[in-house]
Amino acid sequence: MAAVRKRVSPSRWLAYVIVALGGVIMLAPFWFMFVFATHTNTEILSVPPPLWFGTAFIENVRLLIEKLPFFWRNLGLSFFIAFSVTVLNLFFCSLAGYAFAMYHFKFRESLFAVIMATMMLPAFIFMIPTVLIMSAIGWMNEAKALIVPGACGAFGIFMMRQFIGTAIPKELVEAARIDGCSEFGIFWRIVLPLVTPALGSLGLITFIGTWNNFAGPLVIMRDMDMFTVPLALRALQGTGQVPWGAISAGSAIAVLPLMVLFVIASRRLIEGLTSGAVKG
Amino acid sequence: MSVTSSDSPAASELAASPPRRRRKLQAWEWAPYVFISPFFILFLVFGLFPLLFSMWLAFQTWDPSTGLQGMEWVGIENFKFVLEDDWFQKSLYNTFWIAIVSGLPQHLVAIPLAYFAHTYLRKHRNAVVGVYFLPFITSTVAIALVWNSLFSRDFGVINMALTSIGNFSIAGLHPLAWLFPTTNVDWAQPQYTKWMISSLVFWRYVGWNTVLYLSALQTIPRDLYEAATIDGASSRQQFWHITVPLLRPMMFFAVTLTIIGNLQLFEEPFIITGGTGGINQAGKTAAMHMYNTAFVDSDFGTASAVAWILFVIIGLMTWANNKFFAQKD
């Protein structure tokens, strides 16, 4: 059907135009973010505002560091937290997903139902008690308060169970067991290498989600040197003259790693996000 | 490998003075419990316990600076107070307003867009969907700050675009001036704040919904459309009589996600209003109200009550949505 070149009707042309215009609207805020990041405040505040890149990026970054003296540290901390949460999730979620997909054990279905049920609970309901617990055990203002509770998420277990269940034949596991491989050895040496595509999707989702997390650090982190990037950017908002150039530069730096990740892996990410929806 | 069962029959036989009552568990019998235990340990400590604690807290009056002794049982007073509180009602009204104004268009745009991408875009589908999806992955805080500059009264690009349409003139007439503003809008004013927040929410999630609908469209068998074409159905008829009915399960799922997400809106209004809720609290959502009650007013008992009331409301809305989509089946 693709071989025959059909005439495109005017209504379809209109649809193409609308979709393209919509795409421009979707991208426009990013465009202005990058453009503003390269202009001084005076240039941004002029009418009409700049539409093309300027030369003030370095100056904006200097202004950013002036306002947020720990910005590079904030960036490093964000990487550290997002990376740790991602690695822990990949390990624990695939381990649990493997158990749910490949073993028959008592209470399997009900335990899995409990995990799914926790996904229904809204995050804000944990906000207050989490702060109280973290103060009680002395973890306030520390990275581990953000890393440990998020080390094994329900969504990841669900996703890995779906994937392992369909991708790994049970005979493979049994054969390895007969050959004397330990239970953990089967997971580590046979199952894990076979599910790297799913690990990639889950890793991306987890990394992006953790990197963008705002409410968690907002209630846990007290000092500016322990802020994550979203929290630090928020600190730029204050009374008086708003440093739009610095805000745009900081936002661009916060968003750029994710945009790069997304461009590299958009297909896998989108497929990973929807696989649960399709199968479940 | 530490998890290996080290079968050592010799040892157990040596110590076998009492008769063996139970056979030794094989590794594959206990291993799955070990493998799933991290989730449950974390959930008990950082999930279930906090949940129960917060439920208990909702019946207490407590300023955390007084220590645990400062807690006092007040029964359902917190709930009564919250439900009668004007500020809570206002935040709830704002939440629903934003949820509907940002949520409904998300689906009204995402469904035709997904349909179009699925039916007419071949090579460029991923690129187009990717463009619409990009806002979903980016930092809310970063982009909400950008939003503030785009909607700024004096230099905002949005204002510039709107007024230039409003002031567009042919032969001295302004044909669009009745619909579009002719002078810059101050989006921080109470009557406009919610529009600004809703536009951000719409922009962020329309691509996500498109991806959901696209994934559902891919599961609809092509033969259905081929059969309909043979029967002489127009593409409009095919859309309404094949695509829409078969998308119902995904509509239910996607709308549920939107309801749950929109009723919890926090970051977008928080950043756009600078954490204050805006002039006259016009942009303060219920989740923000909870945050402020707990962490600004240090009233943890009332804040917990707000959280649980909001939880019940979300549950009710999800249930109503369920009923709505189930009734026609």
Side-chain angles (χ1 to χ4, degrees):
Chain A
M1 131 175 199
V4 188
R5 207 180 158 81
K6 286 192 213 143
R7 248 174 0 112
V8 180
S9 68
S11 66
R12 191 167 332 154
W13 267 115
L14 185 67
Y16 280 121
V17 171
I18 292 171
V19 169
L21 269 177
V24 170
I25 292 173
M26 299 314 278
L27 290 179
F30 295 112
W31 178 256
F32 285 109
M33 177 175 74
F34 289 118
V35 167
F36 286 179
T38 61
H39 283 279
T40 63
N41 239 22
T42 344
E43 287 165 350
I44 296 170
L45 293 171
S46 62
V47 180
L51 302 174
W52 190 255
F53 296 96
T55 51
F57 181 69
I58 303 292
E59 196 186 322
N60 281 332
V61 172
R62 207 167 47 225
L63 190 65
L64 182 73
I65 306 298
E66 205 176 284
K67 301 260 177 193
L68 305 173
F70 300 103
F71 188 72
W72 301 125
R73 191 185 141 90
N74 299 144
L75 206 62
L77 192 66
S78 276
F79 264 111
F80 172 69
I81 291 173
F83 184 76
S84 312
V85 170
T86 303
V87 170
L88 289 171
N89 263 285
L90 289 184
F91 179 71
F92 287 131
C93 291
S94 51
L95 193 59
Y98 166 64
F100 280 116
M102 287 296 169
Y103 289 90
H104 285 283
F105 55 97
K106 223 175 167 184
F107 308 121
R108 181 175 74 162
E109 298 310 319
S110 32
L111 288 173
F112 190 71
V114 168
I115 294 180
M116 287 299 98
T118 65
M119 280 211 290
M120 311 293 166
L121 290 170
F124 69 85
I125 225 158
F126 295 100
M127 200 188 232
I128 295 166
T130 303
V131 169
L132 296 175
I133 288 182
M134 292 308 169
S135 352
I137 58 178
W139 284 13
M140 284 304 271
N141 205 27
E142 290 196 41
K144 58 189 171 192
L146 295 172
I147 296 170
V148 177
C152 183
F155 173 76
I157 296 179
F158 174 72
M159 194 179 147
M160 293 313 294
R161 185 194 81 142
Q162 296 289 88
F163 195 86
I164 293 171
T166 51
I168 312 275
K170 280 209 162 63
E171 294 75 27
L172 193 67
V173 172
E174 273 153 29
R177 193 171 285 147
I178 289 163
D179 289 346
C181 193
S182 71
E183 297 301 311
F184 183 79
I186 298 171
F187 165 75
W188 187 251
R189 280 185 284 182
I190 294 164
V191 175
L192 216 49
L194 288 174
V195 296
T196 41
L199 290 176
S201 306
L202 179 60
L204 271 167
I205 295 165
T206 314
F207 189 90
I208 290 170
T210 316
W211 178 267
N212 287 337
N213 184 11
F214 174 66
L218 177 69
V219 294
I220 294 293
M221 297 310 196
R222 290 285 143 89
D223 304 326
M224 268 186 106
D225 63 330
M226 290 305 290
F227 279 3
T228 56
V229 171
L231 218 50
L233 286 180
R234 189 240 154 176
L236 285 175
Q237 271 190 324
T239 47
Q241 173 76 297
V242 185
W244 291 113
I247 285 184
S248 305
S251 300
I253 294 170
V255 165
L256 202 61
L258 303 181
M259 286 180 99
V260 171
L261 265 181
F262 181 70
V263 169
I264 295 171
S266 63
R267 176 186 293 215
R268 167 165 298 173
L269 179 68
I270 291 174
E271 279 167 6
L273 279 168
T274 53
S275 65
V278 176
K279 290 173 196 158
Chain B
M1 296 298 131
S2 57
V3 200
T4 321
S5 69
S6 50
D7 290 75
S8 49
S12 63
E13 272 159 31
L14 278 175
S17 34
R20 274 171 59 167
R21 293 197 192 90
R22 306 182 55 167
R23 105 199 136 77
K24 195 170 190 317
L25 274 178
Q26 294 295 327
W28 61 80
E29 290 172 289
W30 55 259
Y33 295 103
V34 176
F35 292 172
I36 64 172
S37 61
F39 176 87
F40 286 97
I41 293 167
L42 287 174
F43 179 65
L44 285 180
V45 180
F46 298 109
L48 191 62
F49 174 69
L51 215 57
L52 297 174
F53 189 74
S54 122
M55 221 179 267
W56 185 67
L57 207 53
F59 296 98
Q60 313 281 327
T61 175
W62 183 43
D63 180 339
S65 61
T66 59
L68 284 172
Q69 296 89 332
M71 242 182 238
E72 200 185 318
W73 177 267
V74 290
I76 58 164
E77 283 304 313
N78 287 335
F79 291 93
K80 261 165 82 179
F81 173 77
V82 172
L83 290 171
E84 289 167 0
D85 182 11
D86 288 346
W87 288 119
F88 174 71
Q89 288 170 8
K90 176 148 199 189
S91 73
L92 205 57
Y93 167 79
N94 292 340
T95 310
F96 273 95
W97 197 103
I98 297 169
I100 293 165
V101 170
S102 70
L104 205 57
Q106 272 176 40
H107 297 271
L108 295 181
V109 170
I111 292 172
L113 179 62
Y115 181 72
F116 182 79
H118 179 70
T119 320
Y120 300 120
L121 296 176
R122 313 217 136 262
K123 261 190 298 183
H124 307 297
R125 183 195 292 163
N126 273 330
V128 172
V129 174
V131 164
Y132 280 81
F133 190 73
L134 193 57
F136 182 76
I137 63 144
T138 47
S139 161
T140 314
V141 174
I143 217 68
L145 290 168
V146 172
W147 227 248
N148 272 346
S149 74
L150 296 181
F151 278 81
S152 170
R153 190 191 62 195
D154 297 322
F155 70 96
V157 176
I158 305 281
N159 277 323
M160 194 184 71
L162 290 177
T163 52
S164 64
I165 302 175
N167 291 322
F168 171 73
S169 73
I170 306 175
L173 290 168
H174 300 281
L176 294 168
W178 61 279
L179 184 60
F180 285 89
T182 48
T183 51
N184 285 359
V185 176
D186 184 358
W187 295 94
Q189 289 303 314
Q191 65 269 38
Y192 301 123
T193 307
K194 285 192 275 290
W195 286 105
M196 188 176 160
I197 297 167
S198 303
S199 66
L200 173 56
V201 176
F202 170 81
W203 178 80
R204 258 180 73 75
Y205 296 100
V206 69
W208 157 253
N209 284 301
T210 307
V211 167
L212 288 184
Y213 288 120
L214 193 59
S215 76
L217 286 171
Q218 282 159 357
T219 63
I220 298 177
R222 289 215 157 262
D223 345 350
L224 280 178
Y225 292 102
E226 277 159 27
T229 310
I230 292 166
D231 291 346
S234 68
S235 54
R236 181 168 307 191
Q237 284 171 324
Q238 292 183 19
F239 178 77
W240 286 109
H241 297 287
I242 301 175
T243 313
V244 171
L246 287 174
L247 271 184
R248 270 176 71 91
M250 183 50 88
M251 281 184 210
F252 167 66
F253 179 74
V255 171
T256 306
L257 288 185
T258 302
I259 291 174
I260 293 175
N262 277 3
L263 292 182
Q264 301 185 54
L265 274 188
F266 177 74
E267 296 177 25
E268 291 89 347
F270 189 89
I271 298 299
I272 283 182
T273 66
T276 64
I279 298 171
N280 208 8
Q281 310 277 302
K284 189 180 181 187
T285 58
M288 258 182 92
H289 182 70
M290 186 212 82
Y291 172 84
N292 281 340
T293 310
F295 299 104
V296 179
D297 306 339
S298 287
D299 188 350
F300 279 59
T302 310
S304 297
V306 174
W308 283 102
I309 289 169
L310 191 51
F311 174 70
V312 170
I313 291 170
I314 292 172
L316 285 175
M317 295 310 295
T318 313
W319 175 80
N321 179 43
N322 200 344
K323 282 275 160 208
F324 175 75
F325 276 94
Q327 77 190 172
K328 288 185 201 151
D329 288 337

